[in-house]
Amino acid sequence: MIHVLDLCQEPRSLSRYEFVDPIVRALKEAGAHVSTAHYTEGPPPRAARGAVLCGTALQDNGYAGDECAFSWIRDWQYPLLGICAGMQVLAREAGATLFAHTEIAFRDLRITAASPLLGSPRTIPCYHLHTQAVGLPPGWACLAGTPAYPEAVWQPATDRYGILFHPEVRNTWILSSFARLCGGAPANLLKPADETLGR
Amino acid sequence: MRLGMLFSGGKDSVYACHRAQAHHEVACLLTLSPKNTESYMFHTPNIRHTPLMAEVMGIPHVMWPTSGIEEEELSDLDGAIAWCAGEYGLDGIVTGAIASVYQATRVQRICHAQGLWCFNPLWQADQVAYLRALVNEGFDVIISGVFAYPLDEAWLGRRLDSAAVDRLVELRSRYGINPSGEGGELETFVLDAPCYRAPLVVEEASRTYHAYAGVYRIDRLGVGTR
């Protein structure tokens, strides 16, 4: 099971439809079993074998002021994927610092190093939506961007990834790839993708 | 929060508004009325009926003129949002964007520059699940425009019911159309919704159609009773 953490300003917020539900849907379409909770609701459940920390709206940086809520990350033993705000949380836990950097664009990004999550070096189009970025944590590899402004990072020893762009836009294959890294269920266990609507 | 809704009268803006109202106050509906019917950003068929829609939704409405010419209309949108933010004390803007990165990035930039939140509650939604949710949750939606093969004249004015959704799903498999019209294949108009105080009734309408492009023009629209 993969645990998806909602980093938006409050549980069950209006932003959840935009930043959490598409991630959940993509993981389910990849065959993974998924649980979801707001970051203030505690660490992932024991059954989780991977976790995704989602992004937030541009105006929403509340998660950055709540370091205690993420202290479980230090001892977490399974793969982690931080998306945008989630990358900032992971990298900060690993000793990197946040800095202001606004980007609202859909543009090409060069993957410069191979990894199990992003595959071989190549250029992919990516959706960027952030007002903060984070430096490269010590001991982490930069997979895209530059060490001063990394856009994808990887800590191989702990299987932790951070991506500054939003994979739910045109790059859901990254979420499929993460589901595989977590030992997600095969595609023949695919569940209907209609669970984000109608509630 | 007090939010402004970018409002076209189509299903996406009405459904997004309905979702936003469950979390925040929607303080105004903002409709940009393009002179150019090929507007990149703003839906056009039957947009003149949005004031009546706002009335049955009980939300103040602002109709703002725009050139409808690519990029020029963004400066119109910027001005319209700034005016609404001041007039209605808005904290943010809601859009019905589903997959259009063009639309989303531009509205995000405008909101960010004005210090406003931007919400897209249908962003990356599964299109078929979304259409089924509309039907199941009591949205009375009609097709008000078709703009792609194989959508023919029979679709104009057709209700979006379960059979219509099934047919659109079939057409997606065979022809690759976006069933919710996100690729500009079709336009819609919402006659009733859970957020309406009373349903709207088409009293007179006309169709224009040629070569897989047509519009269902509502010539007279009234307010019905429940």
Side-chain angles (χ1 to χ4, degrees), chain B residues 5-15 17 29-34 41-51 53-54 57 61-63 94-97 103 130 144 187-190 196:
Chain B
M5 177 78 222
L6 295 189
F7 191 75
S8 67
K11 59 180 171 44
D12 303 342
S13 58
V14 176
Y15 194 77
C17 184
L29 304 179
L30 169 61
T31 302
L32 274 88
S33 178
M41 290 283 288
F42 310 114
H43 166 116
T44 52
N46 300 305
I47 212 159
R48 67 201 177 94
H49 295 300
T50 50
M53 300 177 85
M57 292 170 81
H61 182 248
V62 176
M63 182 77 94
V94 185
T95 87
Q103 188 182 33
Y130 163 50
S144 56
E187 297 285 2
T188 58
F189 188 84
V190 182
Y196 282 20

Side-chain angles (χ1 to χ4, degrees), chain A residues 7 53-56 60 63 82-90 163-164:
Chain A
L7 268 61
L53 285 72
C54 297
T56 65
D60 186 354
Y63 63 89
I83 298 168
C84 196
M87 170 182 173
Q88 295 162 22
V89 167
L90 287 189
I163 51 178
L164 196 54

Side-chain angles (χ1 to χ4, degrees), chain B residues 6-130:
Chain B
L6 295 189
F7 191 75
S8 67
K11 59 180 171 44
D12 303 342
S13 58
V14 176
Y15 194 77
C17 184
H18 171 63
R19 274 198 166 166
Q21 285 180 305
H23 297 265
H24 303 286
E25 179 189 356
V26 176
C28 74
L29 304 179
L30 169 61
T31 302
L32 274 88
S33 178
K35 292 170 194 157
N36 174 6
T37 55
E38 300 299 318
S39 165
Y40 280 79
M41 290 283 288
F42 310 114
H43 166 116
T44 52
N46 300 305
I47 212 159
R48 67 201 177 94
H49 295 300
T50 50
L52 188 58
M53 300 177 85
E55 202 176 309
V56 297
M57 292 170 81
I59 302 173
H61 182 248
V62 176
M63 182 77 94
W64 195 275
T66 175
S67 64
I69 297 166
E70 189 178 12
E71 300 300 340
E72 263 182 42
E73 61 188 357
L74 293 172
S75 119
D76 297 329
L77 178 63
D78 188 34
I81 287 176
W83 188 86
C84 288
E87 185 72 12
Y88 294 99
L90 302 182
D91 301 299
I93 292 294
V94 185
T95 87
I98 298 178
S100 169
V101 170
Y102 176 88
Q103 188 182 33
T105 52
R106 280 148 183 84
V107 177
Q108 289 277 8
R109 283 177 195 150
I110 289 170
C111 288
H112 177 62
Q114 296 189 27
L116 295 168
W117 286 70
C118 183
F119 295 101
N120 301 284
L122 296 178
W123 188 236
Q124 304 300 311
D126 177 84
Q127 294 191 31
V128 175
Y130 163 50

Side-chain angles (χ1 to χ4, degrees), chain A residues 114-175:
Chain A
S115 68
L117 184 75
L118 299 180
S120 306
R122 67 200 184 286
T123 299
I124 58 172
C126 294
Y127 184 58
H128 286 75
L129 185 71
H130 58 261
T131 57
Q132 294 190 108
V134 68
L136 184 66
W140 288 51
C142 182
L143 301 177
T146 65
Y149 176 49
E151 296 176 69
V153 294
W154 178 32
Q155 166 50 276
T158 53
D159 233 359
R160 295 176 177 196
Y161 293 88
I163 51 178
L164 196 54
F165 56 92
H166 290 260
E168 65 273 24
V169 180
R170 315 269 176 96
N171 287 307
T172 52
W173 60 271
I174 293 173
L175 296 161

